[in-house]
Amino acid sequence: MNKVMTSVVAFGVGMAAYNLAQRNNMMSGRQMKRMQRKVKRALF
């Protein structure tokens, strides 16, 4: 249960950072895809 909560919180923080990066155009599309792959691997 605790692990699930931690991953949900981490996912929420990741999504917030992802949205900020997208809004500020700090990352290219290629880096975004790489980030998504890392997040998926971390979660599952």
Side-chain angles (χ1 to χ4, degrees), residues 27-38:
M27 285 197 250
S28 65
R30 189 181 296 165
Q31 283 176 305
M32 281 292 186
K33 283 178 187 165
R34 200 176 295 157
M35 276 274 291
Q36 285 175 328
R37 204 173 298 145
K38 278 183 187 174

Side-chain angles (χ1 to χ4, degrees), residues 1-12:
M1 187 67 195
N2 198 18
K3 191 180 180 186
V4 173
M5 279 298 294
T6 310
S7 58
V8 167
V9 169
F11 183 72

